[in-house]
Amino acid sequence: MAKKARQRISYVLELPNSSPGGHRLGVNGLAIDRDNAILYSGGRDGVICAWDLNRGVTPGGHSAVVDTSQANGKPPKSITRFRAQTQAHTHWINDIALAQQHTALVSASADLQVKVWRPLASDIKEPVTIGQHADYVRCLATSSQSTNWVASGGLDRKIYLWDLSGAGKTLEIDVQGEEVSQKGSVYALGATHDILANGGPESIVRLWDPKSGQRITKFVGHTDMIRAVLISESGDMVLSASADQTVKVWSVTAGRCMHTLTMHDHSVWALFSDDPGLNIFYSSDRSGLVVKTDVRETKGDLDKGLSLAIAKENDGVSKIVAWDDSIWTATSRASINRWKDVDTSDRTLLPETYKPHRASVTTMRSKETAVPAAGAGNGGKQTIPAKSILRISNTASFPLAIGRDSEDHLPSLVRKGSEFAEPVANTAEPVHHLPEETIEGHFGLVKHRLLNDRRRVLTLDTAGDVLMWDLIQCRPVRSFGKRHLEDVEPEVNTREAVAPWCSIDISSGNLTVVLEPYNCFDAEMYADDIVLEEPVEFREDQRINLGKWILRYLFANLIDEEIRRDEAFRQKLNEGAAKRMAAGRAAPPLAIAIPPRPAWGSADLSPATPRVTGFQYPPMTPGLGIGLATPSSPVPPVPEGVVATLSPLDKRASQVSRPSQEREDYFSDAIQSPDGAPKPTQTPATEAPPTPEIPVKAPGENGKDKDKDAKDKDKDKENGKAPATTFGKKFRMGMSFGTKKLGRTMSTAATEKPPVVDEKAEESESSSNHEKEFDDSFLGVVQKMRNEYEKQHSDDPDQLVETRLMPSLANDTPVLKLPAGTKVIVQEETSGGSAEIYRGTVASVGADADVIEERGPQWLGEVLLLNALPPKDPAKISFFLYPWKDTLPPVASADGNNRLNANRMLRVRKILAYVAERIDPVPEGEEPAPDALKPEEYLELYCNDQLLPNKMTLNTLRTHVWRGGADIVLHYKANGKKEIPMPPPEEVDEPDEPEAAAPLS
């Protein structure tokens, strides 16, 4: 069965006081539904908003002057009301388009998906994915409101046509560049029934047949990226806007550029026109200038057209739409501005000096028609300021130069013959300086800092406010007001070093936490550092896995639903056995045979798992060990020669998932097969020859073989061998030591030699076990469990089938009360990024169980249902231990090796306990006094002459104190609270031939 692409889990933290009705980041897409008077906007926050345009608030008709309400100092009248919104995407929305008689709103996003939302439906549902690219989707185009398809173009150098009814892709066009394929990315797209036009970094406009996908022609002429394309309804003219500061007019019939318009002095970003012949169009550029161009009645001579600076934004205008007497602009800000449009058809509003020029291309008005003076008459309308008129092209006659001091003065300079007019910079002032209305947005996150504990994040929003978030609690925990993020960080940061377990993404204006399967279970924290609302009894030095902790409660409702389904499935299987057992009670047998607990693989039951019968094992004690490290050996040497005995309870406990602190030997590694399944672990001698193998003691042998062990140790010392263990028996009491290599699943079979098995029998058994394949998904985990249920039921119909679900309990993952609206997202990795395959909330994951089972990753199912983490070797750190200025006995082994290695989460006080066991051991056979000092109370540990806190971990020590890549050097000393005797000097045998002794170096 083909393996799925890597999948990851993301969750989005809700902003405080979050309310619908506005964007949090810049707006990239605008669309107008003229039939229903609705404005749609798509933002960089992945949200689509719908706004009702109440056209009855302001009088109808066009106006060519500044809004009179603003001119008279009155507040502008609002005509926009929030209607609805949806979180359509998890990344930037780059474009939106209306289709199917304005009933379908299509959105294109940087999350690689093309979605359709139907906001006018009686039961409004979430947007549905109709297509997907391999890279960011940049633009959309529809030919008309009657067609059933939409075209999308992306950075994957593809144009796709998607069926709006959900039938998928109907056409694919590869548009990669001719010379440089990477320049074939599609940044602009236009469509009619017969033509598709696209442009991008290649600076070429290409035309395609939307029915066959064949190229029609190409237009070459721009010198920089093409940002926008328009096609006339008849398909005979194309407009293209470019970063080369020009707008070009192409004739499809002639196959060439007819005019180059230069009314802009910056990169032109957007074009809009609702005129079928493109005789009136709007354009905007990077400087924020909004221009209206009218080339009606020019008879093809566009130099005689009119370009008017309507408005000026503070930021570049990425999208522009116009309808009735209003223009809406979208920028990198979360707000949308509405500007008063200017009626360029009313020639009486033009400046007097400009009228002779227009008279040469238009029909002169009747001589009886009186032309009112500037600023008078015209029904109260004001004339268009002369300084707002832009020179439409470098070859245009008007205006060559504009008198900036006089608003109405415009020199009547006309070209004579072939005389070339000197270009003039377009520095005109816009007609409007303030918008009529602003649709306000919200504040989105623009900057963040992940603190050293990797649990808290500082964020800065567009309002300048700094918040601190808890990634585990999924909520903000502190506000710092309007401050610099860099000033707050040192105030709240701690001296810690925690393994990376998540990544932070604020590209959508929200705080998104991303969990990847390869590292989301790497970070742990000590339970005694957690502050909980409800107290939980933890074991000493218990550690909590952060990734497992948050996943357990993000999907808590899903786990509950799976438990209900599991119970229902087993109940059906157990109906027959339950009836037979009930009948057996009526006639009880003379003897009762207690069947063994069913086993599934090597890790079927967990002591931390709720059973149907209510049975639950008590918690275990953590294991601990420090291993000797040999510099010359690529594989760390054996940390333990003798393994502590395991009770049956300990054996069961050692089989639970990737062990956390209560089940894990800090300093052991996993032995994993290439396919990721845990192998039967080997004895230390098997892993690191030629160390002799030390057999494992059976339970109860410690007391019987005590004397024998002591003799073996003495014998090893006489032979010059290192001691079999770095800890004495007293230190090992109650500890569960593992083998040399420990993964995220442990097996008690690891301590014994694997038995010799007949290869043929093993082969036939393995083949029978693999006859049935399971999906590489969350559902596959459920299928495997149910298959085991059925197998057990068929083998023993009279035995009740017990559950194999093993979700972690509160003593392993303390209870979290996450906000119900926290979004949970499952994404799948693609060549161009990651595509969303599921999105829900903490409250809805239970109801979405079927979807998650089908689309969720297998590793998630194993973590949630089996409490089993993906196998991975624990990270270790090597260090040296020396006594401070030789004031205490050394801890070096018999061969003088004092290089040790241990799990990076080992605390300083555990190192001191190791030192105390070596230099101040409790006499064998005696128990420590109840009031005896703990090692950390009379010993101190130093690194680089700094006293180390008892709770500091090796990882923190190496990062913040040692600050180097080599092995850490540690020194221990006594603080005077307890006297530690120095050992007597060892007797050195004098050599037989003193003259042959080598000098000391």
Side-chain angles (χ1 to χ4, degrees):
M1 184 175 293
K3 208 170 185 182
K4 280 188 174 182
R6 191 174 73 195
Q7 294 175 325
R8 65 186 192 183
I9 308 297
S10 301
Y11 60 99
V12 183
L13 278 61
E14 289 185 312
L15 288 162
N17 304 320
S18 179
S19 60
H23 296 280
R24 298 194 180 277
L25 292 181
V27 180
N28 287 342
L30 294 174
I32 286 282
D33 177 2
R34 297 173 181 81
D35 296 340
N36 300 289
I38 300 175
L39 171 71
Y40 294 99
S41 58
R44 298 179 182 181
D45 53 2
V47 172
I48 299 174
C49 292
W51 311 90
D52 276 324
L53 304 179
N54 187 355
R55 305 311 288 174
V57 173
T58 56
H62 290 276
S63 172
V65 295
V66 177
D67 183 31
T68 55
S69 63
Q70 293 183 7
N72 297 330
K74 298 178 182 179
K77 298 178 181 178
S78 175
I79 67 168
T80 306
R81 299 287 184 274
F82 173 71
R83 179 186 179 94
Q85 79 174 41
T86 180
Q87 182 74 48
H89 297 273
T90 57
H91 213 301
W92 285 19
I93 293 178
N94 292 319
D95 198 7
I96 59 174
L98 283 165
Q100 292 184 325
Q101 308 301 332
H102 304 106
T103 61
L105 184 78
V106 188
S107 56
S109 171
D111 65 6
L112 318 185
Q113 295 187 328
V114 179
K115 293 189 175 184
V116 61
W117 183 42
R118 301 187 183 277
L120 301 182
S122 56
D123 53 338
I124 302 179
K125 298 180 180 179
E126 290 295 313
V128 178
T129 301
I130 59 172
Q132 181 175 313
H133 282 250
D135 209 331
Y136 292 179
V137 193
R138 288 286 308 182
C139 49
L140 297 168
T142 54
S143 59
S144 70
Q145 292 300 313
S146 60
T147 54
N148 196 41
W149 56 266
V150 64
S152 65
L155 302 189
D156 56 357
R157 303 180 289 279
K158 302 279 188 179
I159 296 176
Y160 291 110
L161 266 62
W162 309 101
D163 186 90
L164 290 173
S165 59
K169 177 179 63 179
T170 60
L171 183 67
E172 176 181 343
I173 303 175
D174 189 345
V175 295
Q176 60 180 334
E178 295 177 352
E179 298 180 359
V180 181
S181 61
Q182 289 78 5
K183 289 191 174 183
S185 299
V186 182
Y187 279 78
L189 199 59
T192 65
H193 290 285
D194 303 315
I195 295 176
L196 274 176
N198 79 281
E202 203 176 15
S203 308
I204 298 175
V205 179
R206 300 182 187 275
L207 303 186
W208 310 85
D209 183 351
K211 299 180 179 64
S212 64
Q214 298 297 315
R215 194 178 78 181
I216 298 173
T217 186
K218 66 177 181 179
F219 297 138
V220 180
H222 282 294
T223 58
D224 208 334
M225 177 185 291
I226 296 171
R227 303 296 298 265
V229 172
L230 293 177
I231 307 177
S232 64
E233 190 174 284
S234 61
D236 58 354
M237 185 170 70
V238 175
L239 292 182
S240 60
S242 170
D244 62 10
Q245 306 175 11
T246 66
V247 176
K248 288 186 178 291
V249 182
W250 308 88
S251 170
V252 177
T253 306
R256 64 184 182 88
C257 177
M258 305 301 293
H259 300 277
T260 298
L261 309 182
T262 58
M263 72 284 282
H264 289 275
D265 290 330
H266 297 83
S267 173
V268 188
W269 281 6
L271 291 174
F272 173 82
S273 177
D274 55 3
D275 182 63
L278 304 183
N279 291 314
I280 299 177
F281 64 89
Y282 302 82
S283 56
S284 61
D285 61 27
R286 186 178 61 183
S287 70
L289 184 66
V290 178
V291 177
K292 181 177 182 179
T293 301
D294 185 350
V295 295
R296 291 175 295 180
E297 303 175 348
T298 59
K299 298 181 180 179
D301 187 2
L302 270 60
D303 287 347
K304 297 177 181 178
L306 173 64
S307 281
L308 189 62
I310 300 290
K312 182 76 163 54
E313 289 274 11
N314 295 324
D315 303 283
V317 178
S318 57
K319 200 72 173 180
I320 181 172
V321 293
W323 177 55
D324 200 5
D325 59 348
S326 297
I327 302 171
W328 290 267
T329 54
T331 66
S332 58
R333 297 178 180 268
S335 56
I336 303 169
N337 284 331
R338 178 175 65 86
W339 305 84
K340 189 80 171 178
D341 200 354
V342 176
D343 184 10
T344 55
S345 63
D346 191 346
R347 306 306 176 189
T348 63
L349 301 178
L350 294 173
E352 290 296 329
T353 51
Y354 194 75
K355 290 175 183 176
H357 167 68
R358 297 296 295 175
S360 63
V361 294
T362 59
T363 304
M364 294 296 294
R365 294 181 176 272
S366 172
K367 292 181 180 181
E368 291 79 12
T369 304
V371 180
N378 297 322
K381 298 178 181 178
Q382 295 181 349
T383 57
I384 298 173
K387 57 185 179 182
S388 297
I389 299 176
L390 300 171
R391 192 176 182 200
I392 194 170
S393 72
N394 290 336
T395 58
S397 302
F398 289 88
L400 288 181
I402 298 178
R404 301 302 177 195
D405 297 331
S406 173
E407 188 163 306
D408 294 322
H409 176 67
L410 185 65
S412 300
L413 301 179
V414 184
R415 283 188 301 148
K416 297 179 180 179
S418 59
E419 180 182 350
F420 181 74
E422 182 180 354
V424 178
N426 285 324
T427 56
E429 293 187 11
V431 175
H432 305 309
H433 294 278
L434 292 174
E436 273 196 313
E437 179 189 11
T438 297
I439 304 174
E440 295 291 348
H442 298 295
F443 301 126
L445 305 181
V446 293
K447 198 174 184 180
H448 79 280
R449 287 283 190 278
L450 182 62
L451 300 181
N452 289 340
D453 58 11
R454 297 190 181 274
R455 271 193 60 184
R456 298 173 301 154
V457 175
L458 288 176
T459 60
L460 177 71
D461 63 19
T462 50
D465 291 326
V466 176
L467 278 177
M468 184 166 68
W469 302 75
D470 189 319
L471 301 184
I472 301 298
Q473 299 291 338
C474 296
R475 55 174 58 92
V477 293
R478 186 177 175 185
S479 175
F480 296 90
K482 289 177 168 53
R483 295 184 59 187
H484 291 290
L485 194 66
E486 294 75 12
D487 295 337
V488 177
E489 183 178 2
E491 296 178 7
V492 297
N493 220 345
T494 55
R495 195 165 71 158
E496 292 182 66
V498 178
W501 67 281
C502 66
S503 57
I504 306 299
D505 181 17
I506 58 170
S507 59
S508 64
N510 297 299
L511 186 60
T512 303
V513 185
V514 182
L515 305 178
E516 298 280 5
Y518 60 81
N519 73 342
C520 70
F521 304 110
D522 288 354
E524 294 174 316
M525 69 177 296
Y526 281 90
D528 55 17
D529 290 333
I530 301 175
V531 179
L532 299 173
E533 296 179 1
E534 301 177 2
V536 178
E537 185 177 348
F538 297 110
R539 294 169 293 282
E540 182 184 3
D541 288 326
Q542 179 173 341
R543 289 177 290 160
I544 305 296
N545 188 294
L546 298 184
K548 183 170 73 171
W549 190 13
I550 186 64
L551 286 173
R552 169 65 177 84
Y553 294 101
L554 285 174
F555 293 95
N557 289 344
L558 174 64
I559 294 174
D560 293 342
E561 176 64 23
E562 292 296 342
I563 290 175
R564 284 193 291 270
R565 295 185 179 191
D566 180 81
E567 178 68 25
F569 184 84
R570 289 184 297 103
Q571 186 176 2
K572 188 174 292 186
L573 290 178
N574 290 332
E575 285 179 354
K579 291 179 181 178
R580 285 187 289 273
M581 291 178 67
R585 292 192 194 101
L590 298 178
I592 300 177
I594 301 177
R597 287 189 175 272
W600 184 38
S602 61
D604 60 327
L605 295 175
S606 167
T609 302
R611 315 307 301 170
V612 176
T613 58
F615 178 82
Q616 181 180 337
Y617 292 110
M620 281 69 62
T621 304
L624 178 67
I626 297 179
L628 295 175
T630 305
S632 60
S633 174
V635 179
V638 183
E640 282 292 332
V642 179
V643 180
T645 58
L646 295 175
S647 67
L649 177 58
D650 292 330
K651 290 182 179 182
R652 298 181 68 84
S654 67
Q655 299 174 357
V656 181
S657 76
R658 170 191 178 186
S660 60
Q661 64 293 338
E662 72 276 17
R663 293 180 296 272
E664 179 181 352
D665 180 348
Y666 278 82
F667 318 107
S668 299
D669 298 322
I671 302 174
Q672 298 294 335
S673 60
D675 59 357
K679 290 181 180 179
T681 50
Q682 306 170 17
T683 59
T686 309
E687 291 186 32
T691 307
E693 181 178 1
I694 306 297
V696 178
K697 297 179 181 181
E701 290 182 352
N702 277 351
K704 187 167 60 178
D705 295 342
K706 191 181 296 183
D707 297 334
K708 184 178 178 182
D709 288 344
K711 291 179 182 179
D712 291 342
K713 288 184 179 181
D714 295 339
K715 187 175 179 181
D716 288 342
K717 290 182 180 179
E718 292 174 4
N719 296 335
K721 295 181 182 179
T725 176
T726 57
F727 281 72
K729 288 188 177 181
K730 290 293 181 182
F731 192 81
R732 296 197 311 273
M733 289 294 291
M735 296 187 182
S736 176
F737 288 88
T739 56
K740 172 69 183 67
K741 213 175 182 188
L742 174 69
R744 307 195 180 197
T745 56
M746 299 170 60
S747 173
T748 52
T751 59
E752 301 181 10
K753 275 189 174 182
V756 179
V757 184
D758 180 49
E759 293 183 3
K760 293 184 179 179
E762 186 178 10
E763 185 178 20
S764 61
E765 184 180 353
S766 63
S767 62
S768 64
N769 289 339
H770 291 82
E771 284 179 0
K772 189 169 183 178
E773 291 186 349
F774 302 99
D775 294 340
D776 182 20
S777 64
F778 194 108
L779 181 60
V781 178
V782 178
Q783 289 174 337
K784 187 175 182 180
M785 280 194 297
R786 293 182 178 178
N787 182 67
E788 290 294 329
Y789 291 157
E790 293 171 346
K791 183 179 178 182
Q792 178 186 339
H793 180 69
S794 62
D795 292 344
D796 190 358
D798 294 330
Q799 175 64 38
L800 289 177
V801 177
E802 292 191 17
T803 182
R804 303 184 189 278
L805 289 178
M806 298 183 293
S808 59
L809 292 184
N811 61 353
D812 188 23
T813 50
V815 175
L816 295 174
K817 298 178 181 178
L818 305 183
T822 302
K823 295 181 179 64
V824 181
I825 302 167
V826 181
Q827 295 173 311
E828 189 171 79
E829 190 178 70
T830 67
S831 59
S834 57
E836 175 189 310
I837 57 177
Y838 167 77
R839 176 149 50 96
T841 64
V842 167
S844 69
V845 290
D848 299 338
D850 292 334
V851 179
I852 297 176
E853 283 184 353
E854 178 186 352
R855 304 177 185 177
Q858 179 180 353
W859 63 266
L860 179 64
E862 292 173 348
V863 170
L864 298 181
L865 305 183
L866 305 180
N867 200 17
L869 307 187
K872 190 173 184 180
D873 294 343
K876 295 191 175 184
I877 295 176
S878 298
F879 58 96
F880 290 94
L881 270 177
Y882 297 105
W884 178 269
K885 296 181 180 180
D886 296 328
T887 55
L888 292 176
V891 297
S893 56
D895 60 358
N897 180 21
N898 60 353
R899 182 175 184 266
L900 308 170
N901 63 5
N903 188 292
R904 62 187 171 191
M905 289 298 293
L906 182 72
R907 277 176 165 174
V908 165
R909 70 182 183 188
K910 286 298 180 183
I911 301 178
L912 292 176
Y914 171 79
V915 172
E917 194 273 341
R918 300 302 299 268
I919 68 173
D920 188 26
V922 178
E924 198 163 331
E926 296 183 10
E927 293 293 333
D931 58 346
L933 293 176
K934 296 180 180 180
E936 61 266 26
E937 293 177 345
Y938 65 89
L939 291 176
E940 296 174 346
L941 197 64
Y942 288 82
C943 178
N944 286 342
D945 296 328
Q946 296 184 41
L947 177 62
L948 304 178
N950 290 329
K951 285 190 174 183
M952 179 177 284
T953 64
L954 271 178
N955 201 25
T956 302
L957 191 159
R958 180 177 62 179
T959 303
H960 297 287
V961 181
W962 181 248
R963 297 180 181 178
D967 291 346
I968 302 171
V969 178
L970 302 174
H971 292 87
Y972 55 91
K973 63 178 290 190
N975 59 12
K977 293 183 179 180
K978 182 178 180 181
E979 184 178 351
I980 303 174
M982 292 290 292
E986 295 183 3
E987 296 182 0
V988 181
D989 297 334
E990 296 183 359
D992 295 336
E993 301 178 359
E995 66 277 7
L1000 295 175
S1001 57

